[in-house]
Amino acid sequence: MYERLKGFRDFYPGEMRARRETIDTLESAAQRYGFREVGTPALERTEMYVDKSGEEIVDELYAFTDQGGRDVAMTPELTPTVARMVVAKQQELSKPIKWYSTRPFWRYEEPQSGRFREFYQTNVDIFGSSEPEADAEVLAVVGDALTDMGLSGEDFEFRVSHRDILSSLLGSFDADVDTKQAIRAVDKSQKVSEAEYHDLLHDAGLSYDQAAQFDDLLQSSEDDLDELVEFGGEDVEAAVTNLRDVLAATEDFGVREFCTVSLTTARGLDYYTGVVFECFDSTGEVGRSVFGGGRYDDLIESFGGQPTPAVGVAPGHSTLPLLLQRAGVWPEEELRTDYYVLTVGDTRDVAADIARELRAEGHTVESDVAGRSFGGQLDYADSINAETVVIVGERDLEEGNVTVKDMDTGDQVQVPVEEFPGAHDEPRYTDFE
Amino acid sequence: MYERLKGFRDFYPGEMRARRETIDTLESAAQRYGFREVGTPALERTEMYVDKSGEEIVDELYAFTDQGGRDVAMTPELTPTVARMVVAKQQELSKPIKWYSTRPFWRYEEPQSGRFREFYQTNVDIFGSSEPEADAEVLAVVGDALTDMGLSGEDFEFRVSHRDILSSLLGSFDADVDTKQAIRAVDKSQKVSEAEYHDLLHDAGLSYDQAAQFDDLLQSSEDDLDELVEFGGEDVEAAVTNLRDVLAATEDFGVREFCTVSLTTARGLDYYTGVVFECFDSTGEVGRSVFGGGRYDDLIESFGGQPTPAVGVAPGHSTLPLLLQRAGVWPEEELRTDYYVLTVGDTRDVAADIARELRAEGHTVESDVAGRSFGGQLDYADSINAETVVIVGERDLEEGNVTVKDMDTGDQVQVPVEEFPGAHDEPRYTDFE
């Protein structure tokens, strides 16, 4: 007997059905906004990640040397891959480029609740627009998807921040600040004590007084943004204006109610620029960010492409279920079957005809493929939650009948075989009782 | 600029749309027969493949040692993984177990037409039935799927064979035959010269006379099966009876017309038992097997499980497109867009409302997110094949109108904004002209 690898998961049909419904809902929202599906490789050259994140990233990757001597890595995220794809066809692709895809990624991390070594994400990205409508459209897609899943504005919030507000504020201090390091400190602020947080800011170049003042500034709500402009001057003003423009667009796009300004939201990855955001469980029961996204205007150029602004979001299918379960809207992990066509005696030909006619209407129809008895077939029909069982018995057939049984009530009725399904698209017990 | 790895592919939206349509059609057929989706890991312990296929398999794998010192391999096929999953829950799963999934697999092979290092398959399997109906249902699923894709019986054939006929015939010779080696020789017979083929059979233990006689026997058509029974006795008879039972079930299941008995079809993998089959292009233009499947009754037990007969098929999304393209039924590799809502001046709020109402009806609707001019937006709408453009202009709006433009004919008409979409589910130019 072989063991599954730690941090990897097998999804059996019940759980998979719930996951598929969630993925379909998310992809359907992206499709309605005109995002197009792309397909991407599971392996890329390791250097793509090292160039972007430094040699230490390799410890978190499933990286190895292939049979041809290439250093390769199982993709830990989609963004570098789609950036590579945009660069490869930047002349022929009409902009804005709007892409989505759902697939697994891999990181060698310690597994914990909602974190696995193999994890699935739906990535939704727009390339080629720096306009606030692009940021807002990405928020609209995930806002629509979450409400389609049954969540309301009481259940979740998008905490929206702006990298340029953070960096401009940092630049206003009389100090030699490592901006990226300081922003990483902000990203960690919710997970460490205040003292540790201030230590991290101090390490990034602020004095402890400045760290406290910076922390204080980041507590500003949307109403206090003008005070930040007063403190930081025109760079902050430009960033605040952009943030307000994005929020105004979310108003028009119908998802403003989900957005809260939260400057302590920073996102961990270095490549973000401009607006960034994270989705949180409003009740706090899911204690971590459910997913996040933001602008990354410089990445395509750093990959050797023409300057191409970009913004995206990547809901993950490890944390999203935690939010949906908390809110009581996780889809039922149960099989659904429209019909089971049960054979008694030598009736396979008639049963198969009925099954084919029902399938032609798009129904899920099972019939015996295992030589089971009457009782065995009925138990199996029950185990797959068949709504209706059609009993095709030799003796019934001699009189030209089949029996239609409602599995919920147990009621059953004899029906002439030529009337089942006959002209009915979806024949049920109640059509014949 | 980074390069994609050799043998791996990027799928841009046009090609991806055609692939997704094909995958959806195949999965939909499996769903209608009550197959349930499962989700499976991309990595497994390398020993699972080595135990099954010998140490030499490692050369064909993306195998490596992970950060935790485990020998792991990127899955080259699904069957061992689903066998592991069946064994892990064999008590609680109600049988027959009917599973499907579509995902990539990886093999370190030389890329060629229709063969890649990363390739996608839809696996469809039944566990827990040795009945001929199970073999026939698997053939029915792929038969239905191929006709749903627009193919007819003129386009393809399922060449059906039986491992036990081959092994029983081999056992009838007065020789010490390595059955697996001889069957591998049969599998290669179409790819090598007759002399080379007979050499391979000789290597497996047959004399050259016996090899010629065996080759001759395998040329038997369905009508000659009784002669095989005369030659081989009761073991051959049992296998022939099983093959006939499966064909009779395909008759009831509506896919008999696609099946041809072809004993030279052997399938390369050692774990097959019983009925095996391969799908071929009837015209021969696609010179290789499009996909195949068959019984593997002993695998679950060899994985440490209870004896559990199994049968499956795995259409691959590298070769299937070759058949569909040859037959002229490959889906169009074009984007489809129902509406583009074009903004002129400060009309974003009204345009966004219209877009949201159209999306609520399930339509694919794009609008400007890139601050484009009138002409730029129209060009973009054209590039995404928008069927209808709704022009929301400041001046028109002052008079309470929008303009609805049919992109195919170029015809356009002014419509009161409250009537668009108004009560229309799918408003088009022709509704207002």
Side-chain angles (χ1 to χ4, degrees):
Chain A
M1 191 159 153
Y2 298 97
E3 296 285 332
R4 190 178 60 237
L5 287 166
K6 182 180 168 188
F8 288 73
R9 287 170 293 170
D10 297 325
F11 298 106
Y12 288 83
E15 185 178 4
M16 190 67 213
R17 206 193 70 71
R19 289 173 63 84
R20 179 58 63 198
E21 188 174 318
T22 307
I23 292 168
D24 282 350
T25 302
L26 191 43
E27 292 192 338
S28 166
Q31 287 161 4
R32 292 198 305 274
Y33 279 83
F35 288 80
R36 317 291 170 167
E37 189 179 13
V38 292
T40 54
L43 280 185
E44 297 276 4
R45 288 183 185 275
T46 308
E47 62 175 345
M48 197 161 88
Y49 305 106
V50 170
D51 289 354
K52 184 170 140 285
S53 309
E55 193 61 51
E56 63 278 12
I57 188 76
V58 174
D59 290 341
E60 294 168 27
L61 298 179
Y62 283 91
F64 59 100
T65 306
D66 80 4
Q67 312 262 4
R70 301 168 195 88
D71 286 326
V72 296
M74 293 176 74
T75 52
E77 56 163 329
L78 189 67
T79 307
T81 294
V82 286
R84 175 180 63 65
M85 285 173 66
V86 167
V87 172
K89 298 216 177 185
Q90 59 189 346
Q91 298 309 327
E92 48 199 292
L93 293 166
S94 68
K95 292 182 193 68
I97 299 160
K98 296 166 63 172
W99 286 350
Y100 80 87
S101 65
T102 303
R103 40 156 297 190
F105 298 94
W106 303 272
R107 283 185 201 215
Y108 195 82
E109 295 185 302
E110 257 336 281
Q112 49 176 274
S113 168
R115 180 178 293 168
F116 301 91
R117 288 179 173 170
E118 177 173 70
F119 55 96
Y120 292 73
Q121 284 183 349
T122 300
N123 280 260
V124 177
D125 293 281
I126 301 178
F127 302 92
S129 170
S130 56
E131 296 299 314
E133 285 84 0
D135 308 67
E137 183 162 282
V138 163
L139 284 160
V141 168
V142 283
D144 280 11
L146 294 183
T147 50
D148 288 349
M149 288 171 200
L151 296 174
S152 77
E154 308 288 296
D155 293 313
F156 68 92
E157 59 177 355
F158 297 146
R159 296 188 188 160
V160 184
S161 180
H162 202 293
R163 278 286 179 100
D164 296 346
I165 296 181
L166 301 188
S167 58
S168 301
L169 287 175
L170 288 164
S172 309
F173 287 102
D174 182 19
D176 184 18
V177 183
D178 181 331
T179 308
K180 285 183 179 172
Q181 194 180 341
I183 287 176
R184 279 196 295 267
V186 175
D187 182 55
K188 284 187 190 142
S189 61
Q190 311 294 315
K191 297 162 197 153
V192 298
S193 70
E194 190 176 354
E196 285 171 299
Y197 172 38
H198 289 191
D199 284 346
L200 289 169
L201 289 173
H202 184 255
D203 292 346
L206 293 177
S207 73
Y208 280 99
D209 277 353
Q210 290 169 330
Q213 193 183 1
F214 178 62
D215 187 14
D216 205 43
L217 289 167
L218 296 193
Q219 305 306 322
S220 302
S221 72
E222 196 185 339
D223 297 334
D224 309 325
L225 292 176
D226 285 332
E227 292 166 32
L228 296 185
V229 173
E230 269 171 48
F231 176 89
E234 62 183 30
D235 284 352
V236 174
E237 186 170 20
V240 164
T241 300
N242 180 247
L243 177 58
R244 284 174 169 157
D245 287 346
V246 170
L247 292 172
T250 63
E251 180 78 47
D252 284 351
F253 293 177
V255 294
R256 178 65 182 87
E257 59 169 319
F258 308 135
C259 302
T260 312
V261 170
S262 164
L263 298 180
T264 53
T265 298
R267 304 287 292 152
L269 292 167
D270 282 349
Y271 58 63
Y272 282 111
T273 62
V275 163
V276 291
F277 55 90
E278 294 194 342
C279 174
F280 276 86
D281 176 4
S282 301
T283 68
E285 219 171 290
V286 179
R288 41 186 296 206
S289 161
V290 179
F291 60 82
R295 261 204 178 271
Y296 50 102
D297 282 349
D298 303 332
L299 188 71
I300 301 287
E301 195 175 359
S302 78
F303 268 50
Q306 317 250 317
T308 305
V311 59
V313 64
H317 299 286
S318 309
T319 46
L320 190 52
L322 301 180
L323 172 61
L324 297 176
Q325 282 156 7
R326 194 281 299 153
V329 297
W330 179 244
E332 280 192 24
E333 295 191 355
E334 274 192 350
L335 306 188
R336 289 184 194 169
T337 309
D338 299 312
Y339 296 92
Y340 184 89
V341 183
L342 192 153
T343 53
V344 188
D346 185 17
T347 64
R348 190 180 67 195
D349 53 343
V350 176
D353 282 347
I354 291 173
R356 285 187 79 76
E357 288 186 64
L358 292 170
R359 285 185 190 118
E361 296 293 336
H363 299 301
T364 297
V365 186
E366 291 208 43
S367 195
D368 185 41
V369 294
R372 299 226 158 180
S373 66
F374 183 93
Q377 289 185 63
L378 212 53
D379 287 348
Y380 178 77
D382 197 44
S383 79
I384 58 173
N385 301 312
E387 285 184 39
T388 299
V389 170
V390 187
I391 302 165
V392 187
E394 259 184 45
R395 256 182 278 171
D396 270 10
L397 269 192
E398 278 166 22
E399 290 161 25
N401 290 327
V402 295
T403 300
V404 178
K405 183 183 177 76
D406 184 316
M407 288 293 276
D408 200 22
T409 60
D411 295 336
Q412 59 183 54
V413 60
Q414 287 213 329
V415 176
V417 64
E418 66 271 16
E419 286 181 31
F420 196 94
H424 301 270
D425 294 341
E426 195 182 338
R428 300 290 184 193
Y429 167 79
T430 48
D431 294 313
F432 304 103
E433 65 180 322
Chain B
M1 189 159 155
Y2 299 97
E3 296 285 333
R4 189 178 60 238
L5 287 167
K6 182 180 168 189
F8 288 73
R9 287 170 293 170
D10 298 323
F11 298 107
Y12 287 83
E15 186 178 4
M16 191 67 215
R17 207 192 70 72
R19 289 173 62 83
R20 179 58 62 198
E21 188 173 320
T22 306
I23 292 168
D24 282 349
T25 302
L26 191 42
E27 292 193 338
S28 167
Q31 286 161 4
R32 292 198 304 275
Y33 279 83
F35 288 81
R36 318 290 168 166
E37 189 179 14
V38 291
T40 55
L43 280 185
E44 297 275 4
R45 289 182 185 275
T46 307
E47 62 174 344
M48 197 161 88
Y49 305 106
V50 170
D51 289 353
K52 184 170 140 285
S53 309
E55 193 62 50
E56 63 277 14
I57 188 76
V58 175
D59 290 342
E60 294 169 27
L61 298 178
Y62 283 92
F64 59 100
T65 306
D66 80 4
Q67 312 263 4
R70 301 169 195 88
D71 286 326
V72 296
M74 294 176 73
T75 53
E77 55 163 329
L78 189 67
T79 308
T81 294
V82 286
R84 176 181 62 65
M85 285 173 65
V86 167
V87 172
K89 298 215 178 186
Q90 58 188 348
Q91 298 310 329
E92 47 198 295
L93 293 166
S94 68
K95 294 183 192 67
I97 299 160
K98 295 166 64 173
W99 287 349
Y100 80 87
S101 65
T102 303
R103 40 156 296 191
F105 298 94
W106 303 273
R107 283 183 201 218
Y108 195 82
E109 295 185 302
E110 258 334 283
Q112 49 176 276
S113 167
R115 181 178 294 168
F116 300 91
R117 288 179 173 169
E118 177 173 70
F119 55 96
Y120 292 72
Q121 285 182 351
T122 301
N123 280 260
V124 178
D125 293 281
I126 302 178
F127 302 91
S129 170
S130 56
E131 297 298 314
E133 285 84 359
D135 306 69
E137 183 161 282
V138 162
L139 284 160
V141 168
V142 284
D144 281 9
L146 294 182
T147 50
D148 289 349
M149 289 171 199
L151 297 173
S152 77
E154 308 288 295
D155 293 312
F156 68 93
E157 59 177 355
F158 297 146
R159 297 187 188 161
V160 184
S161 181
H162 201 292
R163 278 288 179 100
D164 295 345
I165 297 181
L166 302 187
S167 56
S168 300
L169 287 175
L170 288 163
S172 310
F173 288 102
D174 182 19
D176 184 20
V177 183
D178 181 330
T179 309
K180 285 184 178 172
Q181 194 180 341
I183 287 176
R184 279 196 296 267
V186 176
D187 182 55
K188 283 190 189 140
S189 62
Q190 312 294 317
K191 298 162 197 154
V192 298
S193 71
E194 190 175 354
E196 285 171 301
Y197 172 38
H198 288 190
D199 283 346
L200 289 170
L201 289 173
H202 184 255
D203 292 345
L206 292 177
S207 72
Y208 280 100
D209 277 354
Q210 289 170 331
Q213 192 182 1
F214 178 62
D215 187 15
D216 206 44
L217 288 167
L218 296 193
Q219 305 305 321
S220 303
S221 72
E222 195 185 340
D223 297 335
D224 310 325
L225 292 176
D226 285 332
E227 293 166 31
L228 297 184
V229 174
E230 270 170 48
F231 176 88
E234 63 183 29
D235 284 352
V236 174
E237 185 170 20
V240 165
T241 300
N242 179 247
L243 176 59
R244 284 175 170 156
D245 287 346
V246 170
L247 292 172
T250 63
E251 179 78 47
D252 284 350
F253 293 177
V255 294
R256 179 64 182 87
E257 60 168 317
F258 308 134
C259 301
T260 312
V261 169
S262 163
L263 299 180
T264 55
T265 297
R267 303 287 292 152
L269 292 167
D270 283 348
Y271 58 63
Y272 282 111
T273 61
V275 163
V276 292
F277 56 88
E278 293 195 340
C279 173
F280 276 85
D281 177 4
S282 300
T283 69
E285 218 171 288
V286 179
R288 41 186 296 208
S289 162
V290 180
F291 60 82
R295 259 201 183 274
Y296 50 104
D297 284 349
D298 304 331
L299 188 69
I300 301 288
E301 196 176 357
S302 79
F303 267 51
Q306 317 248 315
T308 306
V311 59
V313 64
H317 299 285
S318 309
T319 45
L320 191 53
L322 301 179
L323 172 62
L324 298 176
Q325 283 156 7
R326 194 282 298 153
V329 297
W330 180 244
E332 280 191 23
E333 295 190 355
E334 274 193 348
L335 305 188
R336 289 184 194 168
T337 309
D338 299 312
Y339 296 91
Y340 185 89
V341 183
L342 193 153
T343 52
V344 188
D346 184 17
T347 64
R348 190 180 67 195
D349 52 343
V350 176
D353 281 346
I354 291 173
R356 286 187 79 74
E357 289 187 63
L358 293 170
R359 285 185 191 119
E361 297 292 336
H363 298 301
T364 297
V365 186
E366 291 208 43
S367 195
D368 185 40
V369 294
R372 298 224 159 181
S373 66
F374 182 94
Q377 289 184 65
L378 213 53
D379 287 348
Y380 178 77
D382 197 44
S383 78
I384 58 172
N385 300 312
E387 285 184 38
T388 300
V389 170
V390 187
I391 303 165
V392 187
E394 259 183 43
R395 255 181 280 171
D396 270 10
L397 268 192
E398 279 166 21
E399 290 161 24
N401 290 328
V402 296
T403 299
V404 177
K405 183 182 177 76
D406 183 316
M407 289 294 277
D408 199 25
T409 62
D411 295 336
Q412 59 183 58
V413 60
Q414 286 214 328
V415 177
V417 64
E418 66 271 17
E419 287 180 29
F420 196 94
H424 301 270
D425 294 340
E426 194 181 338
R428 301 290 183 193
Y429 167 79
T430 48
D431 294 314
F432 306 103
E433 64 179 325

